[in-house]
Amino acid sequence: MPSKTKLLPRQKIKYRIRKRIIGTPEVPRLAIFRSLSNVYAQLIDDINGKTICSVSSVAKDVKTEIAPKTSKTDKSKIIGKKIAEKAVGLNIKKVVFDRNGYLYHGRVKAIADAAREAGLEF
């Protein structure tokens, strides 16, 4: 279990960000979560309280593309590309990026860059 001293600052940052970011059906929120070895991304409609689509590095369709020794940053690039492809398939071109309290660096930046390259605007 994470220590309180490490978890508490990220929670405060997360709540501060979420006060300003709201996803709608037309412009959903692209929320990122990163665990120690996996990455998750989902498009969320906050008004209706529904997840529009999601992609993770543990999903069966993505796992086949990821080689066993792939770095975490490369996994993030694949996830960013996949979430953008799904969004474009659902006629969603514009999203609001929610970094979920993480620094915009490393895996979070890799997801954002790959999603932008695949056609999402934010």
Side-chain angles (χ1 to χ4, degrees):
M1 183 168 170
S3 65
K4 282 189 177 181
T5 57
K6 185 151 185 155
L7 212 149
L8 195 60
R10 189 177 81 79
Q11 288 290 75
K12 285 183 178 179
I13 294 167
K14 179 180 174 177
Y15 294 140
R16 195 166 46 230
I17 291 168
R18 286 294 308 282
K19 280 193 290 188
R20 292 178 281 144
I21 295 176
I22 297 171
T24 63
E26 296 82 28
V27 183
R29 177 169 55 99
L30 173 59
I32 305 299
F33 177 75
R34 59 182 179 88
S35 67
L36 215 54
S37 57
N38 294 305
V39 182
Y40 307 84
Q42 53 185 340
L43 293 176
I44 302 169
D45 171 13
D46 289 318
I47 293 175
N48 297 320
K50 294 192 175 189
T51 299
I52 298 169
C53 69
S54 65
V55 177
S56 70
S57 58
V58 295
K60 289 181 182 179
D61 57 338
V62 178
K63 226 175 191 182
T64 57
E65 291 185 22
I66 299 174
K69 295 288 183 179
T70 305
S71 69
K72 292 188 263 188
T73 307
D74 290 337
K75 284 182 186 179
S76 299
K77 290 177 185 174
I78 293 169
I79 297 301
K81 183 181 167 193
K82 285 285 186 186
I83 195 76
E85 288 172 359
K86 278 191 172 183
V88 170
L90 294 169
N91 293 326
I92 298 171
K93 301 266 187 214
K94 199 166 190 172
V95 296
V96 179
F97 188 69
D98 179 10
R99 59 187 175 90
N100 214 2
Y102 300 111
L103 293 177
Y104 187 78
H105 180 271
R107 290 190 275 169
V108 176
K109 186 174 189 272
I111 291 174
D113 291 342
R116 280 191 190 106
E117 287 175 12
L120 282 183
E121 295 177 21
F122 52 93

